[in-house]
Amino acid sequence: QVQLVESGGGLVQAGGSLRLSCAASGSIFSLNVMGWYRQAPGKQRELVAHITSSGSTNYADSVKGRFTISRDNAKNTVALQMNSLKPDDTAVYYCKLVQFGNVFWGQGTQVTVSS
């Protein structure tokens, strides 16, 4: 089994920055994809960014140029640096890990951006 614990959410004014972190523990293998998703009230969960174990990244168009995903394979952590935050970024952010077709989610962390 895999456990994911997110941290770093909070309240920030528009234009500000936050850094989310996710620590994975349990049966972690070297080949996996880690990522961040978000879900705003009344909306479906959507991809924010993901990163493979080799460092390849993919971003949602809405966050390109503002958010940066990174990972530390030795520590099994993934981070999301969020800059130039907008009120539309307000959501619960979830960490996700996929390995060998198995999907694991964290409990989520709230990010609120005030205008």
Side-chain angles (χ1 to χ4, degrees), residues 7-64:
S7 60
L11 173 65
V12 65
Q13 289 188 331
S17 299
L18 280 175
R19 183 177 178 85
L20 305 182
S21 295
C22 173
S25 61
S27 300
I28 310 296
F29 296 91
S30 58
L31 293 178
N32 58 57
V33 178
M34 298 187 76
W36 291 94
Y37 284 67
R38 66 186 181 187
Q39 188 167 18
K43 295 187 177 181
Q44 289 189 330
R45 192 172 297 189
E46 63 177 6
L47 170 71
V48 176
H50 70 233
I51 183 168
T52 69
S53 50
S54 62
S56 296
T57 59
N58 184 48
Y59 294 90
D61 288 343
S62 59
V63 307
K64 283 181 180 177

Side-chain angles (χ1 to χ4, degrees), residues 51-91:
I51 183 168
T52 69
S53 50
S54 62
S56 296
T57 59
N58 184 48
Y59 294 90
D61 288 343
S62 59
V63 307
K64 283 181 180 177
R66 300 188 298 123
F67 291 10
T68 302
I69 191 170
S70 61
R71 63 184 289 165
D72 185 330
N73 290 335
K75 297 181 179 179
N76 292 322
T77 59
V78 62
L80 185 69
Q81 178 65 42
M82 305 186 293
N83 299 328
S84 303
L85 283 161
K86 305 175 182 179
D88 284 349
D89 295 318
T90 295

Side-chain angles (χ1 to χ4, degrees), residues 1-6 22-23 34-39 45-49 92-98 102-108:
Q1 273 292 356
V2 172
Q3 295 78 43
L4 302 173
V5 179
E6 302 105 332
C22 173
M34 298 187 76
W36 291 94
Y37 284 67
R38 66 186 181 187
Q39 188 167 18
R45 192 172 297 189
E46 63 177 6
L47 170 71
V48 176
V92 177
Y93 284 69
Y94 296 91
C95 178
K96 177 183 178 182
L97 184 148
V98 182
N102 296 309
V103 180
F104 303 94
W105 293 96
Q107 81 286 354

